[in-house]
Amino acid sequence: MSQPEIPKRFEPAQAEGRWYAHWMDKGYFRSVPDGREPYTVVIPPPNVTGVLHMGHMLNNTIQDVLVRRARMQGKNACWVPGTDHASIATEAKVVRLLGEQGIKKSAIGREEFLKHAFAWKEKYGGVILEQLKKLGASCDWDRTRFTMEPDLSEAVIDVFIDLHKKGLVYRGLRMVNWDPVALTAVSDEEVIHKEVNSKLYHVRYKVEGTADEWVTIATTRPETILGDTAVAVHPEDERYAHLKGKRVLVPLLNRSIPVIFDEYVEREFGTGALKVTPAHDVNDYELGKKHSLETIDILEPNGTLSAAAQLYVGEDRFIVRKKIAKELEAQGHLVKTEDIVNKVGTSERTDAVIEPRLSLQWFVKMGELAKPALDVVNEGRVKLHPQKFANTYKHWMENVRDWCISRQLWWGQRVPAWYNEHGDVAVCKTETEAITHFTAAKQSTNGITQDEDVMDTWFSSWLWPISVFDGFKDPENADIKYYYPTNDLVTAPEILFFWVARMIMAGMEYRQEVPFKNVYLTGIVRDKQGRKMSKSLGNSPDPLELIEKFGADGVRTGMLFSSPAGNDLPFDESLCEQGRNFSNKIWNAFRLVKGWSVDDRPQPASSAAAVVWMQSRVARSTTEIDQLFTQFRISEALMATYKLIWDDLCSWYLESIKTGFVKNADGEGVAEPIDRQTYNATVAIFEEVMKLLHPFMPFLSEEVWHLLRDRKAGEDIIVAAWPGSGNGDAKLEAEMQHAFDLTTAVRNLRNERGMSPREAFDVQAKGRAPMRAAVSALVNKLANVSAIAEVEKASEGSITFLVGTTEYAVDLGGNIDTEAEAKKAETELAHLRGFLASVEKKLSNERFVSGAPSQVLETERKKKADAEAKIKALEERLAVLK
């Protein structure tokens, strides 16, 4: 492949399309089982209705970083993409679309509606996956799955039937989150709790059989008073002890209800008396069961009042709230009204206020499934990153509730339950099987109908790590045996229980093995004001516009610069700008190297030292980066790579080896040629650094890789070997760091005193400078120093300064302000003494010394020794100045 001309600027738009097409054409993302170690990631399937948002950007960037690195490590990397059918969201979109055409869902029936839904999915459902390609996601697109495709739907139905046979799926009347607009039960994770301005109504109930004795309660939902079946107080509350065996009258209805005594009631809260409405509050429902209370459901599914309410029948719940408050006041029951701020649950999809509602639904018994899923996290078979989420996970799993899995929708896997004319139930796949079941049970086979409900979307996605490899269709197929368990899952903490925990349950139940070994939990992407990014707030930038503006690599690194696991990401476009600036820095450094002329002159000793130093930095940085990846500190791995390139490669190494200028035949200043040995070593170093960069910035690194030297077909960085780690040359690195610090000190001295950088001068080192000759020669070059002379005592009229613990001096020929220098030294001395005191305090703490790792103690002792040496040198310097 002949080498193309190097453009002046890196053009992301051109490179991204070209290299992504090349990778696809070469099949680099494709994975089939072979003899290599597999590395498997399954994508958290985005909603089929979705478009790319900032959360997707962060999540999928991290997944791609992990997958690309594994691929370079020689593993068989398999990243499975796909989408979730998203029952409520998709059905709502299709209903809206039909409504615009004047078609009602109820008018066309289930089968016709599903045809429209599938047609919509085929037309719009793949948008988000195409958008992920713009980001550089290296998914195996041939493996793309959809939670409602036939094989995956079959798996959902089979699992429902299997769990029912095991007694883990049952049908029962339970309290659920009810969406009065979508007319369906919704899961806890589909309920958004918002702070709203509300009113707290203090209402009094007359004690039955008394002339003027009352019990006052407080409620934010006075309309539910019509469904009250008790008032509860604490058994040890002396204020109400006399009411044992008594009853009170429900306001407006004068219906007699008992006073019950239960430790659930908080005596200190409010009046210590609580209205109990078992049909419309989760806790009241539990109290009702415990005390055998009547359950009066006063609400219709659409949120209007039912006949059971007796008053305001057919009117909307919120209109009734205002009306009943006025009526309670008119009849002397309203004691007072307070303005409060409280949290109200709303539907994620329709924004309707959720009603707790008793409903006949299908549930999964979670206790038996939860235990092994808790054990594997406690035992470390599944590791959560960061570890702090393990306690949250444990709390949820130890307090798990049964899972409502039925939804009153049409888009989704239909519940495989059949009813005869008498309401007897058969759980099976087909009507034929249902007839067989009813016949065997000597039950009627007349009027057989299938359950109208579909299953919760999460009931399909909890099977995802198994079903994407057809592990239910054929539990022994080659894919499931090779790729399962997967390696790493990247997801958000808010679905740790709703999705992650349930996948672990399914994995243990159906494979007797965890579905993944590590769970990396991202933070939430927030704006500069700390608000979660959302469409409704209008504070979320369009990711594709960001990519167009800053390039995919700029956005990827921008997202990762400040997003440690589990911590929220305060996003600002300036982060992406920083990412783009990083791209430009690399491109300019690369162009500098490729612009050099090369000849066979001998390699200078200083260049040889710089090459060995940079090779050492790459080896040691690779070790550090590998360790950070192992600990899932992805942001820190990026920063280690960033510093290696920006500080070590660009700021010091290239400056250390670049040649000076000479005049050509025309008298023009041109760069001297660089020696071939240094040039070849520099190209090799650039290649290793690009490999480290590739997982984070795939497009730029591939572009630079191919322009560095001619490549054969298939020699692409995406499949190049990940750099080997190593200890490097610690002694040389220390010497070089000293040289760089000395160079900086000399440059600062020039700036402070207005000295020309072209004016060479000698530097005196008190005692021996801790640098070999080749490294000293580098200081001469970088700082324009004529020589570094080792002396016992600095000459009169010199200005002295410390680099590490070594004292240096520059003779200014007596042109020195001793008073100013002394003041500067005293300030530095005070700082050092304070620092030494803090280190000595730490080292005198027995608990710290006995508990700290040896490496930490060694570092603290070195800090102490260095501070003492610097203090000694400064004290001597002050003595001379004074």
Side-chain angles (χ1 to χ4, degrees):
M1 189 186 289
S2 63
Q3 196 151 24
E5 187 182 342
I6 300 170
K8 287 184 179 179
R9 287 184 300 275
F10 174 59
E11 299 291 349
Q14 295 174 21
E16 287 162 10
R18 185 173 70 253
W19 286 119
Y20 202 88
H22 175 75
W23 295 329
M24 290 282 284
D25 183 56
K26 290 289 183 183
Y28 289 140
F29 305 162
R30 184 78 180 110
S31 176
V32 292
D34 59 24
R36 291 175 294 165
E37 177 189 347
Y39 176 81
T40 317
V41 171
V42 293
I43 198 170
N47 286 356
V48 74
T49 60
V51 292
L52 204 60
H53 60 60
M54 298 306 288
H56 293 133
M57 294 281 278
L58 175 62
N59 184 294
N60 287 283
T61 293
I62 292 167
Q63 289 178 81
D64 195 47
V65 166
L66 295 172
V67 169
R68 285 180 181 273
R69 177 171 174 268
R71 191 180 288 119
M72 295 176 76
Q73 288 177 309
K75 296 174 185 176
N76 189 348
C78 178
W79 183 10
V80 181
T83 51
D84 189 290
H85 63 275
S87 293
I88 296 176
T90 306
E91 183 149 327
K93 279 189 182 290
V94 177
V95 167
R96 197 177 306 124
L97 183 71
L98 290 173
E100 289 167 3
Q101 300 169 30
I103 303 171
K104 283 190 174 181
K105 168 186 163 184
S106 55
I108 60 174
R110 186 181 206 117
E111 296 308 314
E112 192 63 28
F113 176 81
L114 288 175
K115 285 179 187 175
H116 283 281
F118 273 109
W120 183 92
K121 179 261 172 189
E122 289 305 314
K123 188 172 181 180
Y124 300 106
V127 169
I128 193 165
L129 299 184
E130 289 304 311
Q131 291 176 327
L132 285 177
K133 293 176 183 178
K134 299 283 187 187
L135 185 65
S138 58
C139 301
D140 183 349
W141 299 107
D142 292 339
R143 290 184 174 274
T144 303
R145 306 305 297 260
F146 173 53
T147 53
M148 250 181 82
E149 67 180 74
D151 286 344
L152 272 65
S153 287
E154 191 85 357
V156 170
I157 290 161
D158 286 343
V159 166
F160 183 101
I161 293 168
D162 177 68
L163 292 177
H164 183 264
K165 283 178 182 172
K166 292 173 179 173
L168 296 176
V169 161
Y170 66 94
R171 193 175 187 230
L173 188 67
R174 295 285 185 277
M175 187 69 66
V176 297
N177 300 310
W178 185 260
D179 181 336
V181 173
L183 299 178
T184 181
V186 295
S187 57
D188 289 343
E189 73 279 358
E190 292 164 321
V191 178
I192 307 298
H193 293 276
K194 299 178 181 177
E195 283 197 345
V196 297
N197 294 319
S198 298
K199 292 190 182 295
L200 185 64
Y201 302 88
H202 293 257
V203 181
R204 63 179 191 167
Y205 293 54
K206 190 170 187 179
V207 178
E208 190 176 31
T210 66
D212 196 31
E213 186 176 1
W214 306 82
V215 175
T216 301
I217 59 90
T219 180
T220 56
R221 301 161 69 207
E223 68 278 8
T224 62
I225 284 172
L226 304 176
D228 285 356
T229 56
V231 166
V233 295
H234 195 280
E236 294 173 10
D237 192 332
E238 294 178 0
R239 292 172 295 178
Y240 301 112
H242 68 288
L243 292 180
K244 282 185 181 173
K246 301 282 187 179
R247 299 174 74 86
V248 295
L249 301 174
V250 175
L252 308 186
L253 296 177
N254 287 326
R255 176 162 43 81
S256 175
I257 58 174
V259 177
I260 62 171
F261 291 76
D262 198 286
E263 291 178 351
Y264 166 75
V265 180
E266 294 180 40
R267 282 178 283 183
E268 297 78 18
F269 186 76
T271 63
L274 183 77
K275 69 188 280 301
V276 182
T277 319
H280 299 289
D281 181 273
V282 175
N283 297 314
D284 290 9
Y285 177 66
E286 295 301 324
L287 277 174
K289 284 199 297 183
K290 183 176 176 182
H291 293 274
S292 303
L293 298 176
E294 184 185 1
T295 299
I296 301 173
D297 187 351
I298 64 155
L299 289 175
E300 296 288 357
N302 65 358
T304 59
L305 268 67
S306 69
Q310 298 183 50
L311 303 174
Y312 313 108
V313 176
E315 296 188 53
D316 181 80
R317 55 190 167 148
F318 295 119
I319 292 171
V320 172
R321 183 171 297 177
K322 291 176 181 176
K323 285 186 174 181
I324 202 169
K326 288 179 180 176
E327 188 63 24
L328 288 167
E329 185 174 20
Q331 294 197 24
H333 290 286
L334 188 62
V335 178
K336 63 176 178 176
T337 305
E338 291 179 76
D339 290 324
I340 63 164
V341 174
N342 68 328
K343 285 194 172 181
V344 172
T346 59
S347 171
E348 183 183 34
R349 299 302 172 192
T350 65
D351 207 36
V353 173
I354 292 294
E355 283 292 342
R357 184 169 186 266
L358 276 176
S359 182
L360 193 59
Q361 304 282 350
W362 288 94
F363 294 85
V364 178
K365 288 182 183 174
M366 299 296 274
E368 192 177 314
L369 295 169
K371 188 183 182 309
L374 175 58
D375 290 343
V376 295
V377 170
N378 287 341
E379 293 161 9
R381 288 169 62 189
V382 174
K383 292 184 174 67
L384 305 182
H385 306 275
Q387 176 64 25
K388 68 180 182 181
F389 285 107
N391 288 333
T392 307
Y393 181 90
K394 183 181 178 186
H395 174 76
W396 278 338
M397 299 302 271
E398 287 177 344
N399 297 277
V400 69
R401 292 185 176 185
D402 288 357
W403 174 16
C404 174
I405 56 167
S406 46
R407 297 289 179 270
Q408 291 63 56
L409 302 165
W410 286 351
W411 176 248
Q413 289 90 5
R414 194 169 178 180
V415 171
W418 306 79
Y419 306 96
N420 63 15
E421 59 184 340
H422 301 305
D424 300 316
V425 63
V427 173
C428 49
K429 277 190 180 179
T430 65
E431 185 174 354
T432 303
E433 290 176 16
I435 291 168
T436 303
H437 171 88
F438 290 134
T439 303
K442 296 190 166 75
Q443 294 171 331
S444 171
T445 56
N446 294 329
I448 294 176
T449 56
Q450 187 177 354
D451 198 304
E452 289 290 327
D453 291 352
V454 298
M455 284 171 264
D456 180 13
T457 301
W458 295 99
F459 197 78
S460 58
S461 55
W462 79 317
L463 310 177
W464 187 247
I466 304 174
S467 61
V468 294
F469 297 115
D470 291 323
F472 292 100
K473 184 179 180 182
D474 178 3
E476 296 300 314
N477 80 74
D479 274 5
I480 193 73
K481 289 172 77 173
Y482 181 74
Y483 293 115
Y484 189 95
T486 68
N487 293 75
D488 304 325
L489 178 77
V490 181
T491 191
E494 56 261 37
I495 54 173
L496 177 58
F497 175 70
F498 302 112
W499 188 45
V500 178
R502 288 169 179 168
M503 283 190 286
I504 298 173
M505 292 180 202
M508 296 306 294
E509 179 69 16
Y510 288 103
R511 301 290 306 176
Q512 292 72 55
E513 181 57 275
V514 297
F516 28 71
K517 295 154 194 157
N518 295 288
V519 180
Y520 179 102
L521 296 155
T522 65
I524 295 170
V525 184
R526 298 188 180 277
D527 66 13
K528 285 187 281 188
Q529 297 174 45
R531 301 175 302 174
K532 184 177 178 179
M533 286 192 167
S534 68
K535 273 195 235 172
S536 58
L537 286 174
N539 63 345
S540 182
D542 181 337
L544 296 182
E545 288 179 8
L546 287 177
I547 289 172
E548 191 176 329
K549 186 174 180 181
F550 300 107
D553 290 335
V555 176
R556 287 167 67 109
T557 49
M559 294 290 288
L560 290 179
F561 275 137
S562 61
S563 56
N567 288 358
D568 290 351
L569 165 63
F571 180 78
D572 189 283
E573 271 197 25
S574 62
L575 291 168
C576 296
E577 189 175 1
Q578 187 183 350
R580 183 182 61 190
N581 293 345
F582 187 33
S583 295
N584 293 340
K585 182 83 168 178
I586 294 165
W587 189 257
N588 291 336
F590 154 69
R591 287 189 73 245
L592 172 70
V593 171
K594 293 300 289 182
W596 287 336
S597 56
V598 184
D599 67 13
D600 292 315
R601 67 183 58 201
Q603 183 183 40
S606 61
S607 293
V611 166
V612 175
W613 168 76
M614 192 64 213
Q615 289 168 336
S616 176
R617 288 297 306 125
V618 172
R620 282 161 65 87
S621 293
T622 302
T623 301
E624 179 192 358
I625 290 163
D626 283 342
Q627 188 177 5
L628 291 168
F629 268 114
T630 301
Q631 298 166 345
F632 286 86
R633 290 155 66 184
I634 313 296
S635 269
E636 290 171 66
L638 169 61
M639 287 311 300
T641 309
Y642 179 90
K643 287 174 183 174
L644 174 71
I645 295 172
W646 194 287
D647 297 342
D648 296 336
L649 179 68
C650 298
S651 297
W652 288 114
Y653 175 71
L654 293 180
E655 193 176 353
S656 298
I657 63 167
K658 75 180 181 185
T659 56
F661 283 85
V662 293
K663 288 186 178 179
N664 62 13
D666 299 324
E668 297 171 334
V670 293
E672 279 188 279
I674 193 168
D675 68 278
R676 195 171 306 282
Q677 195 173 347
T678 301
Y679 177 79
N680 289 341
T682 301
V683 169
I685 286 167
F686 230 109
E687 287 178 326
E688 293 302 288
V689 168
M690 287 302 98
K691 289 178 187 177
L692 291 173
L693 182 69
H694 178 74
F696 302 106
M697 305 183 87
F699 298 109
L700 173 71
S701 56
E702 191 74 84
E703 184 87 346
V704 170
W705 173 264
H706 282 271
L707 292 172
L708 275 168
R709 67 168 94 220
D710 290 340
R711 306 285 177 190
K712 294 176 186 172
E715 281 188 347
D716 297 308
I717 199 169
I718 188 175
V719 288
W722 182 254
S725 57
N727 296 322
D729 187 335
K731 188 172 185 303
L732 175 61
E733 285 195 36
E735 289 183 35
M736 290 288 283
Q737 188 58 54
H738 188 89
F740 298 146
D741 291 344
L742 177 55
T743 298
T744 302
V746 171
R747 288 173 176 174
N748 289 342
L749 180 67
R750 289 182 190 276
N751 288 336
E752 287 169 8
R753 299 183 178 277
M755 298 166 69
S756 168
R758 295 181 180 180
E759 182 186 339
F761 52 66
D762 287 353
V763 170
Q764 300 167 9
K766 187 178 177 184
R768 188 179 176 281
M771 299 176 289
R772 64 195 73 177
V775 178
S776 287
L778 203 53
V779 178
N780 298 348
K781 175 183 176 180
L782 294 172
N784 195 15
V785 169
S786 352
I788 299 175
E790 294 178 353
V791 298
E792 285 187 17
K793 185 180 178 184
S795 58
E796 291 294 327
S798 295
I799 184 164
T800 60
F801 54 91
L802 284 171
V803 175
T805 57
T806 306
E807 186 174 357
Y808 289 94
V810 174
D811 188 348
L812 296 178
N815 183 22
I816 177 172
D817 184 343
T818 55
E819 190 178 333
E821 292 300 323
K823 191 173 181 182
K824 187 176 174 185
E826 282 171 345
T827 302
E828 195 174 344
L829 191 58
H831 170 75
L832 275 169
R833 282 172 175 158
F835 175 75
L836 178 61
S838 69
V839 174
E840 286 176 332
K841 185 179 179 183
K842 200 180 283 188
L843 288 171
S844 64
N845 184 326
E846 286 184 22
R847 280 186 67 185
F848 172 75
V849 174
S850 61
S854 57
Q855 191 178 351
V856 172
L857 286 175
E858 188 181 331
T859 302
E860 292 301 318
R861 286 172 183 141
K862 187 175 184 306
K863 284 180 187 176
K864 180 175 182 284
D866 286 351
E868 287 171 339
K870 287 179 180 178
I871 287 168
K872 184 170 182 279
L874 274 169
E875 286 172 341
E876 290 173 0
R877 181 168 152 199
L878 265 173
V880 172
L881 287 166
K882 289 182 176 178

